[in-house]
Amino acid sequence: MNATEKPAWKPRSGLPIGACTCPAADPAPGGGCLPAAVPVPPAEGQSGPSGPVAGPVPGAMRTPAARPRRGPGSGARPAARSRQGTEPAPEAGLAEAAECDAERLARVALTRLVEPGDEVAGRWLRTHGAVALMRWVTGDAPPPSPEAETRLVRYRRRLGGPAPREDLAAAEAVGARFVCPGDPEWPRQLDDLAAARPLGLWVRGRADLRLWALKSVAVVGARACTEYGAHVAATLAAGLAHAGWTVVSGSAYGIDAAAHRGALAATGATVGVLACGVDRVYPPGHSELLGRVAEQGLIVAELAPGDHPTRSRFLLRNRVMAALTRGTVVVEAERRSGSLVTARWAQRLGRPTMGVPGPVTSGLSSGVHELLRGEAVLVTEAAEVVELVGRIGADLAPVRRGPVVPRDLLPPATARVLEALPGRGTAPLEQIAHEAGTERDEALGRLHELQSLGFVRRDGTGWRLAPRSSEHPKR
């Protein structure tokens, strides 16, 4: 299709009324909604572009300020009033539902036309809404500026694929649904991505994504991991699952797979974020693993059903994991690892970034060590992760300390007398008092205390360490 030709794709009319709660435009920071150009159904009997229609007409646009006012002498019948106040006309509710459904279908269609993380399209969406953007792409409305035409041509090249309703049906066939901003299930922390926010998410699984994301941690790392890395990732994920946290990862080979398996083994919650369609199995070797994740957890994707992964889509997928979770843990990563992209996104969004150290001679841990030299925090177990992402002052990790041996409980003066005894053989009382820096009688009293506690014993005219005591320092 040439860029100058008018695309053949048209928004469908007669949209069914859904139960969607998403607004026609993104919420404004100060409250309310930004005005969005949305389709308006024509009056009864009016003809659309292809004859009489009963649903939205692509050519008819309105804003909230464009409603005609009724006044005295206009011949309009006043609306009926109830005890609660003025009831909205039934037509207003129908129009609002149709606008909401049109916005959802436009976002579904755009998941095939716009690459993930396209910030230009993201700014247009926040300002004008998905319906207006779709009209620019299809040529039903002029673009906002002549410079925008170049980017719109790029989107138009992908027209002609499955219709939005076909994508919704394909997703429903595998037990998936489409969640967009404004839905009750939409995780609002994704809004921190601003213009790079996803158009919507295809979600497969029975759980509620927003509720699971409230307490979630991303565990990512190298594909070609070592046995040490796989063990640490699985143990870490199992510990997080036992603590009630959702483990989010990218379903790739290596650390990602180990994290999912660790959470599944602990009967915990886990979410796999894909860089392809939610109905595809990638990598192919994870068919069984992804099936278990879909049954016990959730599978999430930005791309439309059937879309394939690319290198750039893997990297852009990482921003979703970083924004969806409360923090990111990297287990084994080289300096050019894609897992570091997730960590950098987390730092950019103000989320805690953590790393598990490895051998200093291992190239697979060099990227993690570089993170730890910066703003990342070293962690070795799930409790330390929860301390960073959990409630301040409440989810503290237990204080680590070495084992307490009996000699640690001795008073300082008694401990000095014990240390004055030689490691082998006996020593006279005068020598012990001299080594301990105390009086002879004071040393004798301390030696009798130590003898009653089993640390020393008397050997003729001297004193020596008891055979069972091996706590004396090596000399």
Side-chain angles (χ1 to χ4, degrees):
M1 181 181 63
N2 296 329
T4 56
E5 296 179 1
K6 186 175 181 179
W9 192 92
K10 294 281 188 179
R12 296 188 177 183
S13 60
L15 298 176
I17 300 172
C20 169
T21 59
C22 64
D26 289 341
C33 292
L34 297 172
V38 292
V40 180
E44 184 176 359
Q46 182 179 347
S47 297
S50 58
V53 293
V57 177
M61 310 296 295
R62 70 167 173 86
T63 62
R67 296 178 182 173
R69 295 186 177 182
R70 300 181 184 273
S74 62
R77 183 165 32 176
R81 294 182 177 271
S82 63
R83 284 178 292 182
Q84 289 78 13
T86 304
E87 295 182 352
E91 293 80 1
L94 296 176
E96 183 178 355
E99 293 167 8
C100 185
D101 194 43
E103 179 76 10
R104 172 179 294 273
L105 289 177
R107 286 184 176 269
V108 171
L110 288 170
T111 59
R112 285 202 174 275
L113 309 180
V114 178
E115 279 294 307
D118 189 330
E119 297 192 15
V120 175
R123 287 191 289 269
W124 286 342
L125 281 171
R126 294 176 72 87
T127 306
H128 303 282
V131 174
L133 176 55
M134 199 65 209
R135 288 169 56 84
W136 300 340
V137 174
T138 58
D140 288 336
S145 64
E147 295 78 12
E149 185 65 25
T150 303
R151 184 167 290 269
L152 293 174
V153 169
R154 187 187 308 173
Y155 303 155
R156 289 168 186 160
R157 293 194 182 103
R158 295 184 175 180
L159 287 171
R165 296 187 187 279
E166 295 176 2
D167 282 336
L168 291 173
E172 186 178 359
V174 296
R177 58 195 177 277
F178 184 73
V179 178
C180 64
D183 284 350
E185 194 179 354
W186 178 257
R188 296 192 177 180
Q189 58 265 41
L190 291 176
D191 298 342
D192 293 345
L193 291 171
R197 182 183 68 175
L199 298 167
L201 293 175
W202 300 89
V203 182
R204 180 181 172 189
R206 293 184 291 268
D208 188 290
L209 177 61
R210 184 183 68 85
L211 296 180
W212 274 25
L214 292 177
K215 288 184 64 175
S216 62
V217 177
V219 180
V220 296
R223 287 179 172 84
C225 66
T226 64
E227 292 183 5
Y228 159 79
H231 171 75
V232 170
T235 305
L236 200 64
L240 289 170
H242 281 302
W245 287 78
T246 302
V247 177
V248 179
S249 198
S251 305
Y253 290 123
I255 297 299
D256 289 15
H260 287 307
R261 292 191 177 101
L264 291 171
T267 63
T270 184
V271 177
V273 183
L274 304 183
C276 57
V278 74
D279 58 339
R280 296 196 58 167
V281 174
Y282 191 89
H286 280 172
S287 175
E288 181 180 355
L289 175 61
L290 289 174
R292 291 181 58 200
V293 172
E295 292 176 3
Q296 187 172 321
L298 291 172
I299 294 180
V300 176
E302 285 186 82
L303 296 162
D307 272 359
H308 62 280
T310 62
R311 176 178 174 80
S312 62
R313 289 173 175 178
F314 278 117
L315 297 177
L316 291 167
R317 175 271 311 267
N318 294 343
R319 84 191 194 287
V320 177
M321 289 193 291
L324 190 64
T325 54
R326 300 277 291 272
T328 298
V329 184
V330 184
V331 183
E332 287 195 331
E334 295 182 301
R335 286 190 173 90
R336 287 180 54 85
S337 173
S339 303
L340 301 182
V341 176
T342 310
R344 295 189 190 101
W345 268 107
Q347 291 176 345
R348 193 181 309 172
L349 296 170
R351 311 283 204 272
T353 306
M354 296 150 278
V356 177
V360 295
T361 56
S362 173
L364 283 174
S365 295
S366 59
V368 180
H369 296 160
E370 195 66 27
L371 277 179
L372 295 175
R373 283 171 52 84
E375 299 179 1
V377 180
L378 187 150
V379 293
T380 59
E381 61 180 14
E384 295 172 353
V385 177
V386 174
E387 181 180 64
L388 290 173
V389 300
R391 297 167 297 171
I392 298 176
D395 295 328
L396 299 177
V399 179
R400 288 188 174 187
R401 59 183 63 183
V404 178
V405 296
R407 71 181 300 160
D408 295 334
L409 305 177
L410 295 175
T414 305
R416 284 197 303 271
V417 172
L418 178 62
E419 293 171 356
L421 270 74
R424 291 183 182 144
T426 62
L429 176 61
E430 291 76 8
Q431 180 182 342
I432 296 174
H434 176 74
E435 293 289 338
T438 185
E439 299 291 335
R440 181 180 182 278
D441 293 339
E442 174 73 14
L444 181 60
R446 301 295 179 182
L447 286 170
H448 282 294
E449 292 179 8
L450 292 170
Q451 184 179 23
S452 64
L453 294 173
F455 286 96
V456 300
R457 72 178 185 181
R458 193 162 188 169
D459 188 1
T461 59
W463 295 82
R464 67 184 303 160
L465 293 173
R468 72 175 189 87
S469 176
S470 60
E471 299 174 308
H472 56 275
K474 302 295 182 183
R475 293 190 181 180

